[in-house]
Amino acid sequence: MNSFALNDNDTTDTMDINDDTRGLNYDENLLFEKERTDTPGVDLPTLKGTSSRTGQPTRKNIGLHQVSEPQVVRHFVRLSTKNYSIDSGFFPLGSCTMKHNPRINEKVARLPGFAHIHPMQPESTVQGALAVMHDLQNWLAELTNLPGVCLTPAAGAHGELAGVMTIRRAHESQGNAHKNIMLVPDSAHGTNPATAAMCGYKIRVIPTKETGRVTVEAFKEALYADGDDGHDIAGMMVTNPNTCGLFETDIAEIVDLLHDAGGYFYCDGANFNALVGKIRPGDFGVDVMHINLHKTFSTPHGGGGPGSGPICVADNLKPYIPSPIVLKEGKQYRLERDGERETSCGRLKGYQGQFGMHVRALTYMMSHGADGLKRVSEDAVLNANYILSQLKDDYHVPFAGPCMHECLFTEKYQKENGVTTLDIAKGLIEYGMHPMTVYFPLVVNGAMLIEPTETESKDALDRFTKVMKKLAADARNGETEKFHDYPVSAPTRRLDEVKAAREPKLRWKNS
Amino acid sequence: MRYLPQTQKARTEMLESVGVSNVDELFVQVPKKAFIKGKADLPDHQGELEIERQMLSYANQNINAQSNRFFLGAGVYYHHVPSSVDHIIQRSEFLTAYTPYQPEIAQGTLQYLFEFQSFIALITGQEVANASLYDGATSMAEAGLMAMRITKRNKVCFGNDIHPQYTEVMETYLRNNEGTSSYSISEDPSKIEDGTACVFIQSPDFYGKPHGYDEWRKTCDEKGALLVVVINEIVSLGMLPPPEQADIVCGEAQSIGVAMSYGGPHLGFFACREKFIRQMPGRVCGETVDADGKRGYVLTLSTREQHIRREKATSNICTNQGLCALAFTVHMSLLGEDGFKQLAALNHEKACDLTDKLTSIKGITLKNENFFNEIAVQLPKGKNAGDIVQQLADEQGIIAGYPADDNTILITATEITTENGIDTLTIALKEILK
């Protein structure tokens, strides 16, 4: 830490300014290190002094700190200035769909009739909340053409769990409990194999390195690897468009083969932004799919959550989805009762899901409507193809386009001059932009996956491609050292992740 | 179309650069049959005004807790949230950031996660905590799976009255793991079976009764099982002894800073002993230094996680409840040592007042003498708890509590509950029980 002394003309005192705050770059210590105040940052009513009826000793010293409200507000506002966000700039993180987050979503979710209702209130007192959920179920069913919708999963990975449990329950109910293998391409998100494993499935990997897509040949090889007709295959988990930004061109034929073998097609919905309002997954053979409301439908990412991952399934899987779902009987809405649908794979979360996110997502869908959502996928795909066209001479394109809503490059050309994908990412930070997704998918070396989304204008895309071209030129000119120092203008320099993992320090301790 | 900045001119120029004449040429690889003809069978776009009108009419159909006639808890609690909490979590830099994969430009998120972990560890009396999980129920399910990984055993034990939805979720997770099972022992430690991975103890339990842990610790040690304490009213830890004896403490922290919001998003938390950190599920933030030697924070221990380990990961979790963890952290910072203890004591005082008033009604008894902020009220014979709760809601707009069984209503008081509100409930209940 820098420290220097500032001499004041009037006195001989020397004052140490022992932090790094300069201009608007704030150095901010931990809350626990602030000066302790006599009273807390809340004023609560005075206690009457009732004696305890807990039957337990009363806790004495917790070891918490104590500061005033202005200190708390300043602390968190200063911390906030160290974050990059979609509101402050271009955020082309592949497979994450960092699109504009409309504030009306926030306003509506905070209406007291939504924010201050309890999940176990009598249903007659929450008909409006159930109507919101029922509307959302209908919108999702229509947009996917998958009529069975369960809103309870809390995030994408949780939706995957819901979907794979649904598949497992279906096989068990249909006397196919022996089906214990899940086919997963090597380009899949890590959550796919992790989820299948949590549901007791063995993973069989479909290689896609050659083409960036699942080919019929590679699929057959995986499907029939045991020399039979796919007897033990429970299903496949494929993201479509896939994580290379490509639509799986052979999907129709692959799905037919899978269905003939009695397997189900789980489609990871992370990339639904390429299709929404224009193409329906239920019409290209998908049996079950999760939707990330925090991606496609603009509920904020919030620095890593809360998300929401409803699943949508084809008619034949409807009996097996988690409970509860919202039902409409006449004009009344109600939740499914515990155990009402015996074939359900069960309860996956407390209560009914991330209702606050359901409100936000429905608000967003209504804002765009059928006409706007179609435009969303078209602009998202056009924006990605535009970036691909602008950068294809500067960066190696592993698989030829057109791409869908994201485009994939590798570090191949830059590596020749010792510049890696990580260096390029840190270079983008230096130029005031959030990097793309790096080193994913794993099927190419040094992947750079760029998803611009539809909420960027051509100007924003042009500035990004200019910076990318400049970084490519610097790499070509052998200015390698410069890259290794990036970023120099961000709130911190590159962080030592090895130290963090080897000597884990996960909390503040009073020393 | 207010969220779409591209102009028609820009679209035309871009199509030209790409080398196609219209946008549909970019979708040529998609099977024809999958395209929606025209557009989806849904309403067209609407302005803010129309949407607010529609959503407000939905919201107004619900009875919300601001009515001063609200006494429901059962795992989700209505507490006051200081104004600065919502102000801070709505700052763009927090609200619209992603998971902090690029730590140089995400120190804001990372530092508050580190502070969140510190708060959770301090409050629960545990050595370490993670950066949050979806909710209390899934946090308990993850604790069960982790205990099975650590002990290499395959059954879990519900030691006392645990939130029924939590046990349901645990059972859903177990049903998908060949050879695993669960069983209940109704507070009788002598019934813990050999080969048990962990014993879950909820405190206060589902009926509101606080529990001690010493005896459970002893029996768990004899059986080689882990002790997992489940907390779903975290405010109670401002008054009750921390579960230091536990190996894992998990549960729900919605009470601090997060709205009830009809069941989510809430805030699962997860704390444990340091020796288990490499078995912990979910995201973890750790301290380190940058290239200049300056203190900073990163997501760490990622070798446990799905994006590295894939099918061998400790859990499939990717997203956590970041913004809810921020709300908790801001609220806890404001409360501090004295405020947190005072908040807990206030909750208890209100519950004492509630108890005194309600037990003055003829025929009403308490299931447990001891409680924190929620009591289990037993009705006179022949009265059905579900019917009474429904009747009070429909006739007087009173959300009286949760009918835990035919005869019992769980009734909660928090710092928000007023004397007037308690009187309203007392009079209404007295009337209905006549």
Side-chain angles (χ1 to χ4, degrees):
Chain A
M1 207 173 276
N2 286 337
S3 85
F4 67 93
L6 194 77
N7 289 315
D8 190 303
N9 288 337
D10 297 329
T11 73
T12 53
D13 282 357
T14 303
M15 182 179 149
D16 276 330
I17 297 174
N18 55 5
D19 67 25
D20 288 341
T21 296
R22 296 290 182 281
L24 292 177
N25 299 312
Y26 306 114
D27 196 45
E28 186 61 15
N29 57 4
L30 288 166
L31 186 98
F32 310 99
E33 296 161 347
K34 310 262 168 222
E35 188 183 0
R36 191 182 186 89
T37 52
D38 299 332
T39 51
V42 290
D43 287 315
L44 294 166
T46 316
L47 294 165
K48 291 188 293 190
T50 314
S51 48
S52 165
R53 298 186 213 170
T54 64
Q56 299 290 333
T58 296
R59 191 170 186 180
K60 294 280 181 305
N61 183 27
I62 303 172
L64 297 173
H65 198 52
Q66 187 156 294
V67 287
S68 65
E69 179 178 309
Q71 287 168 296
V72 171
V73 170
R74 185 170 292 166
H75 174 66
F76 289 101
V77 168
R78 286 166 72 113
L79 284 187
S80 77
T81 64
K82 298 170 185 294
N83 264 8
Y84 192 92
S85 65
I86 182 67
D87 278 358
S88 55
F90 188 51
F91 213 127
L93 205 56
S95 268
C96 297
T97 314
M98 291 299 284
K99 60 166 72 178
H100 173 62
N101 300 148
R103 283 313 193 280
I104 186 183
N105 300 354
E106 298 302 311
K107 183 178 180 184
V108 168
R110 282 170 173 79
L111 292 171
F114 293 143
H116 302 308
I117 54 173
H118 190 289
M120 290 163 127
Q121 276 182 227
E123 282 162 2
S124 58
T125 67
V126 286
Q127 285 296 302
L130 292 168
V132 165
M133 293 175 70
H134 196 262
D135 281 3
L136 180 60
Q137 288 178 184
N138 286 344
W139 277 75
L140 289 172
E142 173 61 26
L143 290 169
T144 57
N145 198 22
L146 295 166
V149 180
C150 173
L151 300 178
T152 60
H158 207 222
E160 289 179 35
L161 197 59
V164 176
M165 283 181 181
T166 299
I167 290 173
R168 193 181 148 119
R169 191 85 179 90
H171 284 314
E172 282 169 3
S173 303
Q174 294 156 1
N176 289 321
H178 64 274
K179 288 192 168 288
N180 64 351
I181 296 170
M182 191 63 80
L183 301 176
V184 183
D186 50 6
S187 60
H189 294 115
T191 50
N192 292 176
T195 302
M198 270 180 94
C199 294
Y201 284 119
K202 286 182 212 154
I203 313 301
R204 185 175 295 162
V205 176
I206 309 170
T208 65
K209 277 195 172 71
E210 300 298 315
T211 56
R213 289 184 168 93
V214 180
T215 62
V216 175
E217 292 67 39
F219 180 74
K220 276 185 177 165
E221 210 158 292
L223 184 67
Y224 305 132
D226 291 329
D228 55 27
D229 54 357
H231 182 257
D232 293 339
I233 303 298
M236 69 169 183
M237 298 181 82
V238 168
T239 313
N240 196 18
N242 67 26
T243 61
C244 301
L246 305 172
F247 196 86
E248 293 288 353
T249 33
D250 293 341
I251 199 70
E253 198 177 341
I254 286 169
V255 171
D256 286 346
L257 291 167
L258 178 71
H259 285 163
D260 286 347
Y264 291 107
F265 175 12
Y266 183 96
C267 182
D268 182 319
N271 292 341
F272 190 51
N273 209 46
L275 312 177
V276 65
K278 192 173 175 75
I279 292 155
R280 303 202 298 181
D283 294 333
F284 61 76
V286 172
D287 297 304
V288 49
M289 178 174 193
H290 79 263
I291 301 292
N292 300 82
L293 296 184
H294 50 287
K295 293 181 181 174
T296 316
F297 298 110
S298 85
T299 74
H301 283 79
S308 181
I311 59 164
C312 306
V313 305
D315 261 324
N316 58 347
L317 284 177
K318 243 170 136 175
Y320 311 109
I321 56 177
S323 52
I325 57 174
V326 179
L327 305 169
K328 189 177 187 188
E329 291 166 350
K331 285 186 173 169
Q332 292 295 305
Y333 298 94
R334 69 171 181 90
L335 289 165
E336 247 177 349
R337 318 251 174 268
D338 280 344
E340 178 175 344
R341 184 165 38 90
E342 280 176 11
T343 50
S344 164
C345 65
R347 175 179 285 284
L348 207 60
K349 183 185 179 305
Y351 318 110
Q352 290 79 253
Q354 310 266 49
F355 174 74
M357 301 296 127
H358 303 160
V359 174
R360 288 170 173 88
L362 182 63
T363 302
Y364 173 83
M365 289 175 180
M366 290 164 68
S367 300
H368 267 307
D371 51 340
L373 288 172
K374 185 177 181 188
R375 192 101 249 188
V376 163
S377 51
E378 289 177 352
D379 279 358
V381 169
L382 176 57
N383 281 0
N385 276 286
Y386 180 66
I387 290 178
L388 180 62
S389 74
Q390 299 301 295
L391 295 181
K392 65 181 190 313
D393 298 331
D394 298 275
Y395 293 88
H396 171 243
V397 179
F399 310 112
C403 64
M404 296 296 280
H405 69 309
E406 55 191 354
C407 52
L408 179 64
F409 298 97
T410 83
E411 64 187 3
K412 192 174 172 189
Y413 302 159
Q414 289 70 37
K415 197 84 187 278
E416 289 163 13
N417 289 309
V419 174
T420 64
T421 286
L422 187 70
D423 293 329
I424 292 159
K426 303 304 180 191
L428 278 170
I429 293 177
E430 183 57 27
Y431 282 91
M433 284 184 191
H434 198 282
M436 64 293 271
T437 290
V438 293
Y439 299 104
F440 180 84
L442 308 175
V443 291
V444 295
N445 291 324
M448 289 180 264
L449 185 64
I450 300 171
E451 180 182 1
T453 85
E454 75 284 0
T455 60
E456 298 299 332
S457 67
K458 179 168 177 292
D459 277 355
L461 305 181
D462 284 338
R463 174 158 197 277
F464 172 72
T465 54
K466 269 184 196 154
V467 172
M468 285 294 283
K469 280 173 180 294
K470 155 93 176 133
L471 294 173
D474 288 352
R476 254 191 321 270
N477 298 334
E479 296 175 49
T480 312
E481 278 314 303
K482 189 162 89 177
F483 277 93
H484 296 166
D485 287 338
Y486 286 153
V488 292
S489 309
T492 54
R493 303 282 309 282
R494 286 196 202 189
L495 288 136
D496 188 345
E497 304 200 11
V498 175
K499 176 184 163 70
R502 285 210 183 131
E503 311 153 29
K505 188 177 175 196
L506 310 182
R507 61 172 285 197
W508 170 84
K509 268 192 193 134
N510 200 349
S511 45
Chain B
M1 308 274 184
R2 57 193 178 278
Y3 309 144
L4 299 175
Q6 290 295 24
T7 61
Q8 213 41 57
K9 180 169 166 276
R11 287 190 184 107
T12 310
E13 284 170 21
M14 287 163 65
L15 285 168
E16 206 167 293
S17 301
V18 174
V20 294
S21 56
N22 67 64
V23 76
D24 281 336
E25 287 179 41
L26 300 173
F27 291 86
V28 286
Q29 289 148 350
V30 180
K32 288 261 175 320
K33 61 174 183 181
F35 284 89
I36 297 171
K37 285 173 192 67
K39 57 186 191 232
D41 186 17
L42 293 163
D44 275 345
H45 69 276
Q46 296 179 68
E48 287 205 5
L49 184 62
E50 292 81 6
I51 291 167
E52 280 180 34
R53 205 174 275 148
Q54 168 71 50
M55 294 306 260
L56 186 62
S57 88
Y58 277 151
N60 288 344
Q61 290 169 32
N62 307 324
I63 295 181
N64 77 68
Q66 289 180 336
S67 65
N68 194 25
R69 291 167 172 235
F70 183 86
F71 305 91
L72 179 52
V76 180
Y77 298 90
Y78 181 47
H79 289 284
H80 181 257
V81 179
S83 315
S84 38
V85 173
D86 200 42
H87 165 75
I88 286 171
I89 68 167
Q90 284 202 72
R91 281 189 69 91
S92 292
E93 300 87 338
F94 290 132
L95 185 76
T96 75
Y98 197 75
T99 304
Y101 289 138
Q102 296 291 341
E104 297 89 348
I105 46 175
Q107 285 298 301
T109 298
L110 286 159
Q111 188 169 329
Y112 83 62
L113 290 176
F114 186 82
E115 293 177 350
F116 171 78
Q117 292 171 183
S118 306
F119 271 125
I120 292 292
L122 283 163
I123 294 169
T124 57
Q126 288 292 306
E127 289 167 341
V128 290
N130 77 6
S132 79
L133 295 170
Y134 306 138
D135 71 355
T138 54
S139 154
M140 186 180 112
E142 290 286 352
L145 298 181
M146 171 165 149
M148 294 195 292
R149 285 196 297 275
I150 290 170
T151 59
K152 303 197 164 56
R153 296 173 173 188
N154 57 13
K155 59 186 168 189
V156 300
C157 167
F158 304 126
N160 65 351
D161 287 316
I162 291 166
H163 194 303
Q165 294 200 352
Y166 286 32
T167 55
E168 271 184 61
V169 172
M170 182 79 249
E171 280 162 0
T172 301
Y173 278 61
L174 292 180
R175 203 174 303 132
N176 290 281
N177 275 273
E178 219 80 31
T180 60
S181 62
S182 63
Y183 63 99
S184 301
I185 55 169
S186 311
E187 295 187 31
D188 182 355
S190 70
K191 288 189 181 148
I192 299 176
E193 297 170 10
D194 290 336
T196 298
C198 69
V199 178
F200 292 108
I201 296 296
Q202 180 177 324
S203 180
D205 66 25
F206 189 61
Y207 291 91
K209 186 173 87 175
H211 289 260
Y213 310 107
D214 288 336
E215 198 190 343
W216 290 108
R217 177 73 267 170
K218 208 169 125 255
T219 344
C220 281
D221 284 342
E222 286 162 16
K223 293 285 184 183
L226 301 189
L227 175 60
V228 180
V229 169
V230 182
I231 306 277
N232 60 29
E233 172 48 300
I234 200 163
V235 173
S236 68
L237 291 178
M239 188 163 181
L240 299 174
E244 291 162 330
Q245 301 91 327
D247 298 294
I248 300 171
V249 182
C250 59
E252 179 59 62
Q254 166 269 331
S255 281
I256 301 289
V258 182
M260 297 188 293
S261 203
Y262 200 48
H266 288 170
L267 177 59
F269 72 86
F270 195 100
C272 67
R273 297 185 186 277
E274 196 155 14
K275 64 180 177 190
F276 297 141
I277 55 175
R278 286 174 206 278
Q279 288 297 331
M280 221 175 7
R283 293 269 148 87
V284 183
C285 170
E287 187 184 303
T288 185
V289 293
D290 78 356
D292 292 336
K294 206 168 109 180
R295 181 169 65 173
Y297 305 89
V298 292
L299 291 180
T300 189
L301 304 178
S302 57
T303 47
R304 301 162 301 123
E305 288 190 75
Q306 41 75 25
H307 61 276
I308 310 277
R309 295 273 287 169
R310 297 177 82 82
E311 70 267 27
K312 295 187 185 69
T314 57
S315 153
N316 74 337
I317 288 175
C318 191
T319 299
N320 57 27
Q321 298 287 104
L323 209 63
C324 301
L326 174 61
F328 176 97
T329 306
V330 179
H331 194 175
M332 272 313 300
S333 304
L334 290 164
L335 286 166
E337 175 83 14
D338 293 352
F340 188 53
K341 286 192 289 203
Q342 196 180 348
L343 178 66
L346 258 175
N347 272 256
H348 187 57
E349 262 191 12
K350 296 279 188 183
C352 290
D353 291 349
L354 177 77
T355 304
D356 293 342
K357 289 269 169 68
L358 293 182
T359 50
S360 72
I361 302 172
K362 206 173 146 227
I364 277 189
T365 54
L366 290 186
K367 184 179 162 79
N368 307 306
E369 284 309 309
N370 296 125
F371 55 85
F372 169 63
N373 67 354
E374 183 159 24
I375 56 175
V377 168
Q378 293 188 310
L379 302 173
K381 279 219 167 56
K383 299 287 180 185
N384 180 278
D387 292 346
I388 285 176
V389 167
Q390 186 69 50
Q391 206 180 333
L392 287 170
D394 290 345
E395 289 173 7
Q396 304 192 51
I398 297 173
I399 308 296
Y402 181 69
D405 54 48
D406 284 353
N407 188 237
T408 313
I409 309 180
L410 306 181
I411 305 183
T412 301
T414 71
E415 75 286 356
I416 298 186
T417 311
T418 63
E419 209 179 313
N420 187 268
I422 293 173
D423 288 343
T424 307
L425 176 66
T426 309
I427 293 165
L429 208 51
K430 201 182 232 168
E431 193 59 32
I432 218 168
L433 291 174
K434 256 188 193 161

